Amino acid sequence: MKIMVLNPSSVKVENVIRDALYGCWCKGKRIGGAKTPPYPLLLLTTLLRQEGHDVTMLDAPAQHLTVLDLTKMMAGFQAVVVNSSVMTFCEDAEVLKMLKTGADSLKTVLMGAAPTFMPELCLKHEGIDIIVRREPEFVLRDLFNRLDFGDGRWREVLGIGYKNNGSFIVNDFYPFIENLDQLPFVDWSLLPKNADYFNPVIKRYPYVTDLTTRGCPGRCTFCMSPPFSGYKVRGRSAQNVLEGFRKFVREGYKEVYLRDEMFTALKARNSQILSTMIKEKMDLTWVCSAKIGTLTRNDMRLMRDAGCHYIKFGVESGDQGILDNIKKGITVDQIKQTFKWAHESGIETHAHIMIGNPGESKGTIERTIAFLKEINPTTATFGILTPYPGTPLFEKVAEKYPQIKKEFSIDLASLHSDSFFTDTLCELSAEELAYYEKALHRWFYWRPVYLLRWLMRIRSLSDLRRVIRAGTRILDFSVRGD
């Protein structure tokens, strides 16, 4: 089949991060204007090409392509695939609708969080023909292989949903991929030439992103990742990860941004990976995320020696009561210890903070501010809690506002910036939360001592450019928002 795998542009926000399997996770100036390659689409394109399909991947934002441009490019394509989250669905569906107007036989396929957790609502839209739930790679492999036969057997593929004579058919889930080594190494030559994937956490260019694990055992009430990818951590083997890293080095890449949510959970595997990187003196620096409680001081030293320079942590709050309310499964003492070890190891840190959590008050926010002063992260982001479909918090909000199950109420313009029915969760008003979000950014980034520290970290002209480019966007957000 001739297939387009598409990362569409947004008319509402300039930089939308869509490098997670479930779609978009953040956007805008709050993240320093960060951009990343659309890893899930690159992986999917690589896999489908190996299956013999004629596949083109387009990253519309990176290539500055409008919807009108895309409609002119659809001639001859039999299918188009888009990775959609609950906050991008409305825009994505309209794009697919417009693409279908110029190509009546075009099959539009939607994967990601939106179809996974609200399948029938997605299928109601006239721009959507087929949906894919949870992990997309093998589902789409089987779907497109069967569509080639033209005899209707594609409707039997697990993990899909489709329309049938005015009704919606949603098949059972496809099993999770237990052996992630079965997935191919991404063909990075698929990226558009001269595309700008600036990211303030990256120190060495060119860089790539990678994913070595899937799944999370956490029970955080706000997170859709475990129900999407499973509550068991599945990982690529140490040999497979190392071969991928060696391939990056051979192809001239200098840094890798690991997009795992639980990279540090597989200790034995990681010890083998990191020790080998050190032994081989691999010229590859890297960034990762980690869950509090999965690292020791020795782990961080080994990570540092193997090239890690920055770790992102989901801190969420500096108030233990809030952490307990959202079932984070960590303590403030664990957070303090983890950041202390990171500082001692010379690894920079990032703290994700949410406000508007269940039980949030002015007092809990003040305690979070005091806590951040104590743990002293290198960078931080502050966002208003959004109850996503598929999470316990969403179900709680739906008890009072059942209409949220009947429409997509979240969009990119309001993501993490506006209160989304949080009056069911905390005592702070929407106006107060919006004020605190910007005020927290101003407090954190405008401190003279913080600005001085950043000036002292600058070691090169590229460092200076990176700090200015990211810093001006964050400071602008702290005043004007997105």
Side-chain angles (χ1 to χ4, degrees), residues 89 93 108-110 114-116 118-133 154 160-164 166-171 408:
F89 172 78
T108 56
V109 183
L110 198 73
T116 295
M118 305 184 86
E120 294 191 356
L121 199 56
C122 291
L123 287 169
K124 284 182 180 179
H125 198 284
E126 57 186 304
I128 312 299
D129 292 323
I130 301 171
I131 62 165
V132 173
R133 300 194 295 158
W154 63 269
I160 70 166
Y162 58 92
K163 301 169 183 177
N164 185 35
S167 61
F168 305 134
I169 308 298
V170 180
N171 293 351
F408 283 95

Side-chain angles (χ1 to χ4, degrees), residues 120-340:
E120 294 191 356
L121 199 56
C122 291
L123 287 169
K124 284 182 180 179
H125 198 284
E126 57 186 304
I128 312 299
D129 292 323
I130 301 171
I131 62 165
V132 173
R133 300 194 295 158
R134 298 201 312 201
E135 288 180 335
E137 292 88 4
F138 287 179
V139 178
L140 286 168
R141 176 200 63 187
D142 294 354
L143 173 67
F144 288 127
N145 286 347
R146 294 196 184 189
L147 278 169
D148 261 349
F149 291 112
D151 59 4
R153 283 188 288 170
W154 63 269
R155 295 182 177 87
E156 301 171 0
V157 174
L158 295 177
I160 70 166
Y162 58 92
K163 301 169 183 177
N164 185 35
N165 297 322
S167 61
F168 305 134
I169 308 298
V170 180
N171 293 351
D172 291 339
F173 286 122
Y174 198 102
F176 287 121
I177 304 169
E178 289 298 329
N179 180 10
L180 295 180
D181 288 3
Q182 292 178 290
L183 295 171
F185 295 125
V186 163
D187 179 1
W188 287 95
S189 69
L190 294 167
L191 284 180
K193 299 296 184 286
N194 301 316
D196 176 19
Y197 291 111
F198 168 77
N199 196 303
V201 307
I202 301 299
K203 290 188 175 181
R204 303 171 73 210
Y205 289 81
Y207 81 99
V208 290
T209 56
D210 201 4
L211 191 70
T212 77
T213 62
R214 293 182 180 181
C216 175
R219 290 294 188 269
C220 306
T221 60
F222 58 87
C223 185
M224 67 169 67
S225 179
F228 186 95
S229 296
Y231 291 88
K232 171 188 172 184
V233 180
R234 296 163 288 135
R236 291 160 51 193
S237 68
Q239 294 78 11
N240 182 268
V241 175
L242 284 164
E243 182 52 39
F245 286 1
R246 294 183 188 110
K247 183 173 181 288
F248 295 153
V249 174
R250 289 195 302 270
E251 293 175 355
Y253 294 103
K254 300 296 184 183
E255 187 153 315
V256 57
Y257 185 3
L258 296 176
R259 304 303 294 122
D260 308 41
E261 285 159 334
M262 293 297 291
F263 173 76
T264 54
L266 302 181
K267 288 183 174 291
R269 182 202 71 161
N270 289 354
S271 178
Q272 184 177 348
I273 292 171
L274 303 182
S275 297
T276 303
M277 292 178 74
I278 295 168
K279 181 180 179 181
E280 295 182 4
K281 298 181 180 179
M282 196 176 291
D283 184 17
L284 192 70
T285 49
W286 49 285
V287 172
C288 72
S289 297
K291 179 178 171 59
I292 297 292
T294 63
L295 289 174
T296 65
R297 178 190 283 111
N298 289 337
D299 291 334
M300 291 197 195
R301 289 173 176 170
L302 185 63
M303 291 166 69
R304 174 202 61 200
D305 293 345
C308 178
H309 67 83
Y310 187 91
I311 305 176
K312 303 174 75 173
F313 294 100
V315 173
E316 321 311 352
S317 176
D319 182 273
Q320 188 62 54
I322 295 294
L323 295 176
D324 293 342
N325 289 346
I326 60 177
K327 297 186 178 179
K328 187 68 180 173
I330 59 176
T331 67
V332 291
D333 287 338
Q334 285 178 304
I335 299 171
K336 291 177 186 178
Q337 188 68 78
T338 298
F339 276 77
K340 180 176 182 291

Side-chain angles (χ1 to χ4, degrees), residues 321-451:
I322 295 294
L323 295 176
D324 293 342
N325 289 346
I326 60 177
K327 297 186 178 179
K328 187 68 180 173
I330 59 176
T331 67
V332 291
D333 287 338
Q334 285 178 304
I335 299 171
K336 291 177 186 178
Q337 188 68 78
T338 298
F339 276 77
K340 180 176 182 291
W341 289 335
H343 295 323
E344 292 172 352
S345 302
I347 296 177
E348 295 183 340
T349 56
H350 178 85
H352 290 284
I353 302 294
M354 293 192 308
I355 59 173
N357 298 292
E360 196 82 84
S361 65
K362 293 179 181 179
T364 60
I365 291 178
E366 291 299 325
R367 283 191 283 279
T368 295
I369 291 173
F371 186 70
L372 284 172
K373 291 178 182 177
E374 185 174 357
I375 65 173
N376 191 27
T378 311
T379 55
T381 46
F382 306 87
I384 299 174
L385 171 67
T386 302
Y388 292 125
T391 68
L393 279 185
F394 185 84
E395 295 300 323
K396 183 175 181 179
V397 172
E399 292 175 3
K400 184 175 181 180
Y401 297 105
Q403 67 267 30
I404 68 170
K405 290 188 172 184
K406 301 176 183 178
E407 61 183 8
F408 283 95
S409 305
I410 314 167
D411 64 20
L412 285 172
S414 60
L415 176 63
H416 301 320
S417 297
D418 294 343
S419 172
F420 182 66
F421 299 119
T422 46
D423 60 302
T424 61
L425 306 174
C426 72
E427 63 185 51
L428 297 175
S429 67
E431 293 75 19
E432 288 173 315
L433 289 171
Y435 163 77
Y436 273 117
E437 183 197 31
K438 295 183 183 65
L440 285 166
H441 279 91
R442 289 195 297 273
W443 163 77
F444 186 84
Y445 284 102
W446 289 29
R447 291 172 294 159
V449 65
Y450 181 82
L451 296 172

